[in-house]
Amino acid sequence: MLKYQEIAIEIEKYIEENALQQGDKLPVLETLMTQFAVSKSTITKSLDLLEKKGMVFQVRGSGIFVRRHKRKGYISLLSNQGFKKDLEDYHITSNIIELDVRTPTEEASHNLNIEPNADVYYVKRIRYINGQTLCVEESYYNKAIISYLNKEIVSESIFDYIREGLGLKVGFTDSYLHIDKLNDEEANYLGLNKGDPKLYVEGIFHLTNGQPFDFSKVTYNYQQSQFFIQSNGYLL
Amino acid sequence: MLKYQEIAIEIEKYIEENALQQGDKLPVLETLMTQFAVSKSTITKSLDLLEKKGMVFQVRGSGIFVRRHKRKGYISLLSNQGFKKDLEDYHITSNIIELDVRTPTEEASHNLNIEPNADVYYVKRIRYINGQTLCVEESYYNKAIISYLNKEIVSESIFDYIREGLGLKVGFTDSYLHIDKLNDEEANYLGLNKGDPKLYVEGIFHLTNGQPFDFSKVTYNYQQSQFFIQSNGYLL
DNA sequence: AAGTGGTCTAGACCACTAA
DNA sequence: TAGTGGTCTAGACCACTTG
């Protein structure tokens, strides 16, 4: 583990353990430098990391302050932000509708950047959060990268398997969202009515080396769709 | 302008002018260092900035590569990401319903962190994108910070005025999103039907020093709600 | 004016990738 | 094993905030 990551975790712990609130001041850089016995750049890098995660904000000439949002029940839209604990409060299960190897649709081959006759794992599943329908998900995994999947893996977290089982490093994601009305089939899967709102998300997931390995199309139950975003700019 | 920002802009230009595509390789660090005549840390900082903006990804041991999404017509959900040009393609206008000074609702005073009897500017407006309804927006501005607003300012970009007219520095934002059905009033404002989908966003906007200055409640027309997010983790 | 965070450098050394 | 990006240091100097 790198120094600046360890220090970031330490500071995160410090904030949690002392139940610091939005606006509370952290020790000054000088103090942190001597306390952790590292150079200024390293502390700065730790703090930049925490700032990126939305946990602190730094004010030049003034200090380093805690940033915490107050509302419960909202899921961070960017998983690299906020406390991981947020997600541990939820119990997610899956019901697998389909799982097989096939050739991709034109759309999928385009987004995965593979030949139309290449092999992909196709997974269709309904996901539940605390027993309620969360979403219907259709995914295409590039079989050249994700060499093996089975029902057991697909019932659990596929991404945990990709990281730990296959030893691959997940990098960045491009997601496209829009809001629309449910069609018959989707309403049926989610236990809602045709014409009800839906959040539809297409995601292209890449390894750290830039290779796309997963193209997913997900329709969310609007009743479960409470998200929050901490940004350093502003929406729209 | 800081060196690392200038260099980031130069590299951005370079990508645009050469029409580089996803996966194209940039010059190696060594080259960039000598080309811009700066130290390694400075180049690294520029590249980190571009990575945060979703324009490049760096692979240790391999190189620095361009990251670009392909789809048009999607608005970046995080304004600090992507090309600014994306937003210039849209023409946004406003129709002001209400504008006055009043005391905040309990909700607004809580989110703005001010006394219930403090003054706020209340603004309610409908916003149009290329002539179609985009959203209905209700905003509360802390008058102690945003000392003056008028119809003219409110018809244009309020944030441009805050930055340029008032000389304030906008910092971070906490946004809470959910999806629901339009009620009668909202449907009326947006020219849609009751029960149609809506994207509802509450935003708390802070200055760089952490002071909240704006609490906004915005209901978006679902037909205009096409967003994309570039993240370095993954959604849900 | 004193305190505090931010930028930038030059260079040593480390970790990963690809041929 | 050569090439390439990432971490870390020590210290100089700069920019902003606060009393």
Side-chain angles (χ1 to χ4, degrees), chain B residues 30-54:
Chain B
E30 185 66 34
T31 309
L32 295 171
M33 280 169 67
T34 57
Q35 182 178 333
F36 291 106
V38 292
S39 74
K40 190 173 178 178
S41 325
T42 303
I43 288 291
T44 298
K45 196 148 191 196
S46 302
L47 291 168
D48 285 348
L49 185 59
L50 290 173
E51 187 160 53
K52 201 168 128 188
K53 290 178 67 178

PDB file of all heavy atoms in Angstrom, chain B residues 30-54:
ATOM      1  N   GLU B  30       8.913  12.087 -20.775  1.00  0.00           N
ATOM      2  CA  GLU B  30      10.220  12.687 -21.054  1.00  0.00           C
ATOM      3  C   GLU B  30      10.095  13.771 -22.135  1.00  0.00           C
ATOM      4  O   GLU B  30      10.588  14.891 -21.965  1.00  0.00           O
ATOM      5  CB  GLU B  30      11.164  11.574 -21.538  1.00  0.00           C
ATOM      6  CG  GLU B  30      12.596  12.035 -21.763  1.00  0.00           C
ATOM      7  CD  GLU B  30      13.277  12.460 -20.464  1.00  0.00           C
ATOM      8  OE1 GLU B  30      12.983  11.866 -19.414  1.00  0.00           O
ATOM      9  OE2 GLU B  30      14.091  13.403 -20.524  1.00  0.00           O
ATOM     10  N   THR B  31       9.398  13.413 -23.208  1.00  0.00           N
ATOM     11  CA  THR B  31       9.206  14.351 -24.322  1.00  0.00           C
ATOM     12  C   THR B  31       8.420  15.573 -23.882  1.00  0.00           C
ATOM     13  O   THR B  31       8.792  16.715 -24.189  1.00  0.00           O
ATOM     14  CB  THR B  31       8.443  13.651 -25.469  1.00  0.00           C
ATOM     15  OG1 THR B  31       9.086  12.424 -25.773  1.00  0.00           O
ATOM     16  CG2 THR B  31       8.387  14.540 -26.704  1.00  0.00           C
ATOM     17  N   LEU B  32       7.324  15.330 -23.171  1.00  0.00           N
ATOM     18  CA  LEU B  32       6.490  16.440 -22.711  1.00  0.00           C
ATOM     19  C   LEU B  32       7.270  17.364 -21.784  1.00  0.00           C
ATOM     20  O   LEU B  32       7.143  18.588 -21.843  1.00  0.00           O
ATOM     21  CB  LEU B  32       5.241  15.900 -22.007  1.00  0.00           C
ATOM     22  CG  LEU B  32       4.263  15.116 -22.907  1.00  0.00           C
ATOM     23  CD1 LEU B  32       3.192  14.447 -22.064  1.00  0.00           C
ATOM     24  CD2 LEU B  32       3.624  16.029 -23.944  1.00  0.00           C
ATOM     25  N   MET B  33       8.110  16.763 -20.922  1.00  0.00           N
ATOM     26  CA  MET B  33       8.920  17.555 -19.991  1.00  0.00           C
ATOM     27  C   MET B  33       9.806  18.537 -20.747  1.00  0.00           C
ATOM     28  O   MET B  33       9.867  19.719 -20.410  1.00  0.00           O
ATOM     29  CB  MET B  33       9.797  16.638 -19.141  1.00  0.00           C
ATOM     30  CG  MET B  33       9.096  16.000 -17.984  1.00  0.00           C
ATOM     31  SD  MET B  33      10.127  14.702 -17.245  1.00  0.00           S
ATOM     32  CE  MET B  33      11.481  15.670 -16.578  1.00  0.00           C
ATOM     33  N   THR B  34      10.529  18.017 -21.733  1.00  0.00           N
ATOM     34  CA  THR B  34      11.445  18.891 -22.464  1.00  0.00           C
ATOM     35  C   THR B  34      10.669  19.859 -23.347  1.00  0.00           C
ATOM     36  O   THR B  34      11.015  21.038 -23.438  1.00  0.00           O
ATOM     37  CB  THR B  34      12.429  18.067 -23.318  1.00  0.00           C
ATOM     38  OG1 THR B  34      11.689  17.235 -24.204  1.00  0.00           O
ATOM     39  CG2 THR B  34      13.311  17.201 -22.447  1.00  0.00           C
ATOM     40  N   GLN B  35       9.609  19.372 -23.967  1.00  0.00           N
ATOM     41  CA  GLN B  35       8.817  20.215 -24.862  1.00  0.00           C
ATOM     42  C   GLN B  35       8.264  21.440 -24.134  1.00  0.00           C
ATOM     43  O   GLN B  35       8.296  22.550 -24.654  1.00  0.00           O
ATOM     44  CB  GLN B  35       7.675  19.377 -25.444  1.00  0.00           C
ATOM     45  CG  GLN B  35       6.806  20.121 -26.441  1.00  0.00           C
ATOM     46  CD  GLN B  35       5.725  19.211 -27.011  1.00  0.00           C
ATOM     47  OE1 GLN B  35       5.901  17.990 -27.076  1.00  0.00           O
ATOM     48  NE2 GLN B  35       4.606  19.791 -27.405  1.00  0.00           N
ATOM     49  N   PHE B  36       7.774  21.229 -22.909  1.00  0.00           N
ATOM     50  CA  PHE B  36       7.194  22.349 -22.157  1.00  0.00           C
ATOM     51  C   PHE B  36       8.214  22.950 -21.184  1.00  0.00           C
ATOM     52  O   PHE B  36       7.909  23.917 -20.489  1.00  0.00           O
ATOM     53  CB  PHE B  36       5.952  21.897 -21.402  1.00  0.00           C
ATOM     54  CG  PHE B  36       4.784  21.573 -22.309  1.00  0.00           C
ATOM     55  CD1 PHE B  36       4.419  20.260 -22.538  1.00  0.00           C
ATOM     56  CD2 PHE B  36       4.065  22.584 -22.928  1.00  0.00           C
ATOM     57  CE1 PHE B  36       3.344  19.950 -23.373  1.00  0.00           C
ATOM     58  CE2 PHE B  36       2.995  22.284 -23.766  1.00  0.00           C
ATOM     59  CZ  PHE B  36       2.636  20.965 -23.987  1.00  0.00           C
ATOM     60  N   ALA B  37       9.407  22.340 -21.124  1.00  0.00           N
ATOM     61  CA  ALA B  37      10.481  22.843 -20.269  1.00  0.00           C
ATOM     62  C   ALA B  37      10.037  22.988 -18.820  1.00  0.00           C
ATOM     63  O   ALA B  37      10.208  24.047 -18.207  1.00  0.00           O
ATOM     64  CB  ALA B  37      11.013  24.178 -20.807  1.00  0.00           C
ATOM     65  N   VAL B  38       9.441  21.933 -18.297  1.00  0.00           N
ATOM     66  CA  VAL B  38       9.057  21.924 -16.887  1.00  0.00           C
ATOM     67  C   VAL B  38       9.481  20.599 -16.263  1.00  0.00           C
ATOM     68  O   VAL B  38       9.926  19.694 -16.965  1.00  0.00           O
ATOM     69  CB  VAL B  38       7.526  22.091 -16.704  1.00  0.00           C
ATOM     70  CG1 VAL B  38       7.085  23.484 -17.111  1.00  0.00           C
ATOM     71  CG2 VAL B  38       6.760  21.035 -17.475  1.00  0.00           C
ATOM     72  N   SER B  39       9.309  20.528 -14.958  1.00  0.00           N
ATOM     73  CA  SER B  39       9.715  19.305 -14.260  1.00  0.00           C
ATOM     74  C   SER B  39       8.650  18.222 -14.431  1.00  0.00           C
ATOM     75  O   SER B  39       7.529  18.480 -14.845  1.00  0.00           O
ATOM     76  CB  SER B  39       9.897  19.588 -12.782  1.00  0.00           C
ATOM     77  OG  SER B  39       8.646  19.744 -12.171  1.00  0.00           O
ATOM     78  N   LYS B  40       9.048  17.029 -14.062  1.00  0.00           N
ATOM     79  CA  LYS B  40       8.164  15.878 -14.191  1.00  0.00           C
ATOM     80  C   LYS B  40       6.870  16.064 -13.400  1.00  0.00           C
ATOM     81  O   LYS B  40       5.787  15.747 -13.891  1.00  0.00           O
ATOM     82  CB  LYS B  40       8.909  14.640 -13.692  1.00  0.00           C
ATOM     83  CG  LYS B  40       8.230  13.324 -13.975  1.00  0.00           C
ATOM     84  CD  LYS B  40       9.155  12.181 -13.584  1.00  0.00           C
ATOM     85  CE  LYS B  40       8.500  10.843 -13.804  1.00  0.00           C
ATOM     86  NZ  LYS B  40       9.418   9.736 -13.474  1.00  0.00           N
ATOM     87  N   SER B  41       6.974  16.590 -12.180  1.00  0.00           N
ATOM     88  CA  SER B  41       5.788  16.739 -11.335  1.00  0.00           C
ATOM     89  C   SER B  41       4.742  17.631 -11.990  1.00  0.00           C
ATOM     90  O   SER B  41       3.544  17.391 -11.843  1.00  0.00           O
ATOM     91  CB  SER B  41       6.151  17.353  -9.986  1.00  0.00           C
ATOM     92  OG  SER B  41       7.397  16.935  -9.558  1.00  0.00           O
ATOM     93  N   THR B  42       5.228  18.647 -12.686  1.00  0.00           N
ATOM     94  CA  THR B  42       4.289  19.586 -13.289  1.00  0.00           C
ATOM     95  C   THR B  42       3.518  18.917 -14.422  1.00  0.00           C
ATOM     96  O   THR B  42       2.291  19.045 -14.511  1.00  0.00           O
ATOM     97  CB  THR B  42       5.039  20.823 -13.806  1.00  0.00           C
ATOM     98  OG1 THR B  42       5.749  21.404 -12.716  1.00  0.00           O
ATOM     99  CG2 THR B  42       4.070  21.851 -14.358  1.00  0.00           C
ATOM    100  N   ILE B  43       4.255  18.190 -15.268  1.00  0.00           N
ATOM    101  CA  ILE B  43       3.580  17.448 -16.342  1.00  0.00           C
ATOM    102  C   ILE B  43       2.592  16.454 -15.725  1.00  0.00           C
ATOM    103  O   ILE B  43       1.449  16.337 -16.159  1.00  0.00           O
ATOM    104  CB  ILE B  43       4.613  16.678 -17.194  1.00  0.00           C
ATOM    105  CG1 ILE B  43       5.411  17.637 -18.062  1.00  0.00           C
ATOM    106  CG2 ILE B  43       3.901  15.660 -18.072  1.00  0.00           C
ATOM    107  CD1 ILE B  43       4.619  18.278 -19.170  1.00  0.00           C
ATOM    108  N   THR B  44       3.043  15.770 -14.706  1.00  0.00           N
ATOM    109  CA  THR B  44       2.183  14.786 -14.042  1.00  0.00           C
ATOM    110  C   THR B  44       0.910  15.442 -13.550  1.00  0.00           C
ATOM    111  O   THR B  44      -0.185  14.899 -13.692  1.00  0.00           O
ATOM    112  CB  THR B  44       2.933  14.130 -12.871  1.00  0.00           C
ATOM    113  OG1 THR B  44       4.068  13.449 -13.398  1.00  0.00           O
ATOM    114  CG2 THR B  44       2.047  13.138 -12.140  1.00  0.00           C
ATOM    115  N   LYS B  45       1.061  16.623 -12.989  1.00  0.00           N
ATOM    116  CA  LYS B  45      -0.110  17.327 -12.473  1.00  0.00           C
ATOM    117  C   LYS B  45      -1.064  17.711 -13.606  1.00  0.00           C
ATOM    118  O   LYS B  45      -2.285  17.611 -13.464  1.00  0.00           O
ATOM    119  CB  LYS B  45       0.323  18.567 -11.688  1.00  0.00           C
ATOM    120  CG  LYS B  45      -0.786  19.105 -10.824  1.00  0.00           C
ATOM    121  CD  LYS B  45      -0.303  19.746  -9.542  1.00  0.00           C
ATOM    122  CE  LYS B  45      -1.503  19.991  -8.635  1.00  0.00           C
ATOM    123  NZ  LYS B  45      -1.249  20.917  -7.546  1.00  0.00           N
ATOM    124  N   SER B  46      -0.515  18.136 -14.729  1.00  0.00           N
ATOM    125  CA  SER B  46      -1.350  18.448 -15.890  1.00  0.00           C
ATOM    126  C   SER B  46      -2.123  17.218 -16.336  1.00  0.00           C
ATOM    127  O   SER B  46      -3.322  17.273 -16.603  1.00  0.00           O
ATOM    128  CB  SER B  46      -0.486  18.924 -17.056  1.00  0.00           C
ATOM    129  OG  SER B  46       0.260  20.058 -16.696  1.00  0.00           O
ATOM    130  N   LEU B  47      -1.408  16.092 -16.394  1.00  0.00           N
ATOM    131  CA  LEU B  47      -2.045  14.863 -16.872  1.00  0.00           C
ATOM    132  C   LEU B  47      -3.089  14.363 -15.875  1.00  0.00           C
ATOM    133  O   LEU B  47      -4.128  13.830 -16.271  1.00  0.00           O
ATOM    134  CB  LEU B  47      -0.988  13.797 -17.138  1.00  0.00           C
ATOM    135  CG  LEU B  47      -0.095  14.107 -18.336  1.00  0.00           C
ATOM    136  CD1 LEU B  47       1.098  13.186 -18.385  1.00  0.00           C
ATOM    137  CD2 LEU B  47      -0.899  14.024 -19.632  1.00  0.00           C
ATOM    138  N   ASP B  48      -2.821  14.542 -14.591  1.00  0.00           N
ATOM    139  CA  ASP B  48      -3.811  14.160 -13.576  1.00  0.00           C
ATOM    140  C   ASP B  48      -5.089  14.975 -13.760  1.00  0.00           C
ATOM    141  O   ASP B  48      -6.196  14.462 -13.626  1.00  0.00           O
ATOM    142  CB  ASP B  48      -3.256  14.373 -12.169  1.00  0.00           C
ATOM    143  CG  ASP B  48      -2.238  13.306 -11.797  1.00  0.00           C
ATOM    144  OD1 ASP B  48      -2.132  12.307 -12.523  1.00  0.00           O
ATOM    145  OD2 ASP B  48      -1.546  13.477 -10.782  1.00  0.00           O
ATOM    146  N   LEU B  49      -4.895  16.254 -14.085  1.00  0.00           N
ATOM    147  CA  LEU B  49      -6.046  17.123 -14.318  1.00  0.00           C
ATOM    148  C   LEU B  49      -6.854  16.640 -15.517  1.00  0.00           C
ATOM    149  O   LEU B  49      -8.084  16.528 -15.455  1.00  0.00           O
ATOM    150  CB  LEU B  49      -5.540  18.557 -14.553  1.00  0.00           C
ATOM    151  CG  LEU B  49      -6.580  19.663 -14.716  1.00  0.00           C
ATOM    152  CD1 LEU B  49      -7.457  19.743 -13.481  1.00  0.00           C
ATOM    153  CD2 LEU B  49      -5.894  21.006 -14.951  1.00  0.00           C
ATOM    154  N   LEU B  50      -6.144  16.305 -16.587  1.00  0.00           N
ATOM    155  CA  LEU B  50      -6.823  15.812 -17.785  1.00  0.00           C
ATOM    156  C   LEU B  50      -7.481  14.458 -17.530  1.00  0.00           C
ATOM    157  O   LEU B  50      -8.537  14.163 -18.071  1.00  0.00           O
ATOM    158  CB  LEU B  50      -5.835  15.705 -18.952  1.00  0.00           C
ATOM    159  CG  LEU B  50      -5.349  17.046 -19.494  1.00  0.00           C
ATOM    160  CD1 LEU B  50      -4.250  16.838 -20.521  1.00  0.00           C
ATOM    161  CD2 LEU B  50      -6.508  17.827 -20.114  1.00  0.00           C
ATOM    162  N   GLU B  51      -6.865  13.666 -16.683  1.00  0.00           N
ATOM    163  CA  GLU B  51      -7.452  12.364 -16.345  1.00  0.00           C
ATOM    164  C   GLU B  51      -8.749  12.574 -15.565  1.00  0.00           C
ATOM    165  O   GLU B  51      -9.761  11.938 -15.824  1.00  0.00           O
ATOM    166  CB  GLU B  51      -6.466  11.538 -15.516  1.00  0.00           C
ATOM    167  CG  GLU B  51      -6.940  10.129 -15.266  1.00  0.00           C
ATOM    168  CD  GLU B  51      -5.794   9.206 -14.891  1.00  0.00           C
ATOM    169  OE1 GLU B  51      -5.049   9.526 -13.952  1.00  0.00           O
ATOM    170  OE2 GLU B  51      -5.638   8.160 -15.548  1.00  0.00           O
ATOM    171  N   LYS B  52      -8.711  13.517 -14.630  1.00  0.00           N
ATOM    172  CA  LYS B  52      -9.891  13.849 -13.830  1.00  0.00           C
ATOM    173  C   LYS B  52     -11.017  14.344 -14.735  1.00  0.00           C
ATOM    174  O   LYS B  52     -12.191  14.086 -14.474  1.00  0.00           O
ATOM    175  CB  LYS B  52      -9.494  14.936 -12.830  1.00  0.00           C
ATOM    176  CG  LYS B  52     -10.397  15.066 -11.629  1.00  0.00           C
ATOM    177  CD  LYS B  52      -9.745  15.955 -10.572  1.00  0.00           C
ATOM    178  CE  LYS B  52     -10.642  17.062 -10.101  1.00  0.00           C
ATOM    179  NZ  LYS B  52      -9.971  18.027  -9.218  1.00  0.00           N
ATOM    180  N   LYS B  53     -10.656  15.065 -15.783  1.00  0.00           N
ATOM    181  CA  LYS B  53     -11.646  15.562 -16.728  1.00  0.00           C
ATOM    182  C   LYS B  53     -12.099  14.499 -17.709  1.00  0.00           C
ATOM    183  O   LYS B  53     -12.941  14.754 -18.560  1.00  0.00           O
ATOM    184  CB  LYS B  53     -11.074  16.760 -17.517  1.00  0.00           C
ATOM    185  CG  LYS B  53     -10.905  18.011 -16.691  1.00  0.00           C
ATOM    186  CD  LYS B  53     -10.308  19.127 -17.512  1.00  0.00           C
ATOM    187  CE  LYS B  53     -11.246  19.619 -18.600  1.00  0.00           C
ATOM    188  NZ  LYS B  53     -10.646  20.755 -19.365  1.00  0.00           N
ATOM    189  N   GLY B  54     -11.492  13.310 -17.605  1.00  0.00           N
ATOM    190  CA  GLY B  54     -11.913  12.213 -18.467  1.00  0.00           C
ATOM    191  C   GLY B  54     -11.365  12.300 -19.880  1.00  0.00           C
ATOM    192  O   GLY B  54     -11.925  11.715 -20.792  1.00  0.00           O
TER     193      GLY B  54
END
